[in-house]
Amino acid sequence: MLRYFFAVMVMIFCIRDAEAQDVAGIRHKKKLLKGRWQLVKTVNNGTPHAIAKDEYDAVITFKCFHNYQEEVTYEGYHWIIKGKWKVYRKKADLELMQTEYISGAPPDARIQTIRFSLYQLDKIRWGGDTETKTEKIKMEYERLPKRK
């Protein structure tokens, strides 16, 4: 009987530990987000779309003190968004909040908090799932080299 109890306890501990490592793996790497990132791919409704820089140029810069700036050039429009970012301690979520358009705005501009459920974060890439009112979108960003 005692063996079964220990076996169950070990299984519970392993499951909880695996879940904690998954979240902690991103939580303890949030400093990796700092820097400049280029949007390289989106996936809408299961269909991947490579992003051509000459077609849609979106660069997001995560700065110190949880400030960020996103600069986008698309179909003759150019806009800059500033706001705050936060990574939650118990979830692998990146939240972009308190956003405001500093320069320009797309025709259907609606400021809202955007939350990414991160599924990848390393020195070279980060990827996250987000939701619009109509669909789920996966977005992947690649680190840009430091300016000289």
Side-chain angles (χ1 to χ4, degrees):
M1 183 71 166
L2 195 53
R3 268 188 280 161
Y4 293 119
F5 175 73
F6 284 121
V8 169
M9 292 304 290
V10 168
M11 285 175 44
I12 290 171
F13 177 75
C14 288
I15 291 170
R16 290 185 68 206
D17 191 42
E19 289 173 358
Q21 284 178 357
D22 211 21
V23 173
I26 289 175
R27 183 178 75 210
H28 295 300
K29 294 184 198 174
K30 65 183 174 186
K31 65 182 178 209
L32 289 177
L33 279 169
K34 290 182 182 169
R36 296 176 60 231
W37 298 87
Q38 174 81 48
L39 181 65
V40 291
K41 184 171 111 178
T42 62
V43 178
N44 300 19
N45 297 325
T47 308
H49 302 282
I51 305 295
K53 189 175 169 126
D54 59 342
E55 191 179 294
Y56 186 91
D57 189 14
V59 174
I60 188 166
T61 307
F62 293 104
K63 301 177 179 184
C64 295
F65 306 111
H66 290 107
N67 291 308
Y68 84 93
Q69 177 176 309
E70 185 172 16
E71 188 167 352
V72 180
T73 305
Y74 175 62
E75 289 186 347
Y77 294 100
H78 177 255
W79 65 90
I80 298 173
I81 306 167
K82 287 188 177 182
K84 295 279 189 185
W85 63 276
K86 179 176 182 165
V87 175
Y88 288 89
R89 292 184 65 190
K90 300 204 184 227
K91 298 186 237 172
D93 283 356
L94 165 65
E95 189 171 86
L96 306 181
M97 56 200 175
Q98 298 176 10
T99 56
E100 63 175 306
Y101 286 96
I102 301 301
S103 166
D108 59 346
R110 291 187 276 321
I111 302 255
Q112 62 184 23
T113 296
I114 300 169
R115 179 173 287 176
F116 291 100
S117 295
L118 297 176
Y119 58 82
Q120 177 182 8
L121 175 58
D122 57 38
K123 291 180 181 180
I124 299 167
R125 296 185 92 109
W126 74 266
D129 296 321
T130 189
E131 252 182 78
T132 66
K133 290 181 181 178
T134 58
E135 62 189 346
K136 283 189 171 193
I137 301 172
K138 285 186 174 194
M139 301 176 90
E140 289 188 10
Y141 288 80
E142 215 168 74
R143 184 176 296 281
L144 289 171
K146 291 185 178 181
R147 296 179 186 169
K148 291 185 180 184

